[in-house]
Amino acid sequence: MTWSEMQPLLSQASADTLYMVGWSTLVAVLGGLPLGILLVLTDRGGLLQNLPAAKLIGQVVNVARSMPFIILMVALMGFTRSITGTTIGREAAIVPLAIGAIPFFARLVETAVREVDGGLVEAVQAMGGNTWTVVRKVLVPESLPSLISSATTTVVALIGYSAMAGTVGAGGLGDIAIRYGYQRFETQLMWITVAILAVVISLIQFAGDFAARSLYHRGGRSGPAPKLRLLKAKEPAAADVGKVA
């Protein structure tokens, strides 16, 4: 197969892969972020401590994470058909990709949020902040560098899942590698596909690491910004006391 024949195949396959990974990442973040925070809040010592709920949620997440993606994809075929009307193609692949990534990302979120300094949480509570304020003002901002790294890890995993989804007609680079590289013995095309995947993953990992480092240095976790904001919030009250005196 010549390059002129391979080029349109690779271009379309790359676009399909990015489409699947992009939408499934969005759904995974929207579903996994609150789920991961809920795992922390309902656990022992959490702001919404509820051990039965924490154990139930944790068990569901563990079962979903332990299921191999190829089995999950087959098991969800009926559900996928009910949503997209088909079980093949890039739209159909987004359903199992997103569902498989939500518990994966949720556990990463849980780990990131647990590392937030408890002193900041206590300070916000002492100032009258409720649970939503703690989540919005402390837990998410302070863990943002780690959350970016977690999202990057999830994207990289989804690229691998999307390649696996190509084995059942989902399209993308995995489909090209299977149909042409393996079934038609187009070894050159298969290795080009591998190279494209390697470059894409490297670029995404670099971008994610750069964003996480930038946020950390600008006042992310362990940075001075949150503590300074808390001090500034107390300054007006102190000034008012001085005026009264």
Side-chain angles (χ1 to χ4, degrees), residues 1 4 10 12 17 43 53 58 64 69 81 92 105 109 111 140 148 150 155 159 165-166 178 190 201 245:
M1 182 178 290
S4 60
L10 292 171
Q12 184 60 48
T17 294
D43 201 3
F69 178 70
R81 185 182 290 108
F105 183 65
V109 170
T111 301
V140 173
I148 295 295
S150 299
V155 173
I159 292 175
I178 293 295
M190 184 175 65
I201 289 173

Side-chain angles (χ1 to χ4, degrees), residues 4-84:
S4 60
E5 295 172 324
M6 290 188 289
Q7 194 272 334
L9 291 174
L10 292 171
S11 297
Q12 184 60 48
S14 299
D16 289 344
T17 294
L18 294 177
Y19 179 87
M20 291 186 291
V21 171
W23 280 106
S24 56
T25 298
L26 177 61
V27 176
V29 170
L30 293 177
L33 181 60
L35 183 59
I37 294 175
L38 189 61
L39 283 168
V40 176
L41 296 179
T42 57
D43 201 3
R44 189 181 304 277
L47 299 178
L48 301 175
Q49 179 174 315
N50 188 326
L51 296 183
K55 291 181 180 179
L56 177 61
I57 298 172
Q59 191 62 32
V60 171
V61 170
N62 289 337
V63 171
R65 283 186 61 202
S66 65
M67 187 174 297
F69 178 70
I70 191 69
I71 297 177
L72 177 66
M73 193 163 45
V74 174
L76 290 174
M77 279 187 173
F79 180 67
T80 300
R81 185 182 290 108
S82 67
I83 294 178
T84 64

Side-chain angles (χ1 to χ4, degrees), residues 115-127 138 142 227 230 234:
E115 295 176 0
V116 174
D117 186 1
L120 294 175
V121 175
E122 294 174 359
V124 172
Q125 287 181 302
M127 295 167 61
V138 178
E142 279 294 284
K227 295 181 181 179
L230 292 174
K234 295 179 180 180

